[in-house]
Amino acid sequence: MLLRAALIGLGAMGKNHYRVLSSLPGVDLVAVVELRANQLKENSTVKFLESMQELKEFQIDFVVVATPTVSHEKICLELFEMGFHVLVEKPIAASVEQATRMAD
């Protein structure tokens, strides 16, 4: 079974997630949400999106969040509302309270 993945963020860690997701057997990285990804658009079959709402157009099995920690809660809660399974890079949140809200 091929899992379809999306990635949010292409910063320092996001680039590592991009590389790994692109090479994992059984995973098809189909979309990346990142405004500053112009340098990769020309060399990739991955769709580069400007908003998470655009992910609804794809059949995504899971989303990897690789953004600054302070943004994890907001992004993850929005992805959960859209029905996505989410993997968040560590630390999961900036506070125990944020992590608890995400877990709930």
Side-chain angles (χ1 to χ4, degrees):
M1 179 166 113
L2 191 62
L3 294 174
R4 294 172 54 86
L7 172 64
I8 310 288
L10 275 178
M13 286 308 297
K15 289 176 184 170
N16 289 323
H17 287 288
Y18 181 93
R19 178 182 47 79
V20 171
L21 289 168
S22 296
S23 66
L24 276 177
V27 173
D28 181 18
L29 179 60
V30 296
V32 173
V33 178
E34 173 61 62
L35 296 176
R36 301 166 294 171
N38 294 332
Q39 71 275 13
L40 295 173
K41 286 184 182 182
E42 297 175 12
N43 302 322
S44 177
T45 60
V46 175
K47 300 291 183 196
F48 287 88
L49 311 175
E50 294 184 8
S51 79
M52 292 189 304
Q53 294 299 320
E54 293 177 80
L55 290 174
K56 293 178 184 178
E57 299 173 21
F58 300 87
Q59 292 179 320
I60 302 292
D61 295 303
F62 70 98
V63 180
V64 175
V65 176
T67 61
T69 303
V70 296
S71 65
H72 287 178
E73 179 188 24
K74 180 182 182 300
I75 290 171
C76 289
L77 292 179
E78 188 174 337
L79 290 168
F80 295 153
E81 285 289 320
M82 290 190 282
F84 290 113
H85 297 279
V86 178
L87 182 144
V88 186
E89 71 175 15
K90 63 182 182 177
I92 191 170
S95 70
V96 172
E97 294 79 19
Q98 287 181 354
T100 300
R101 284 190 292 271
M102 292 165 65
D104 288 344

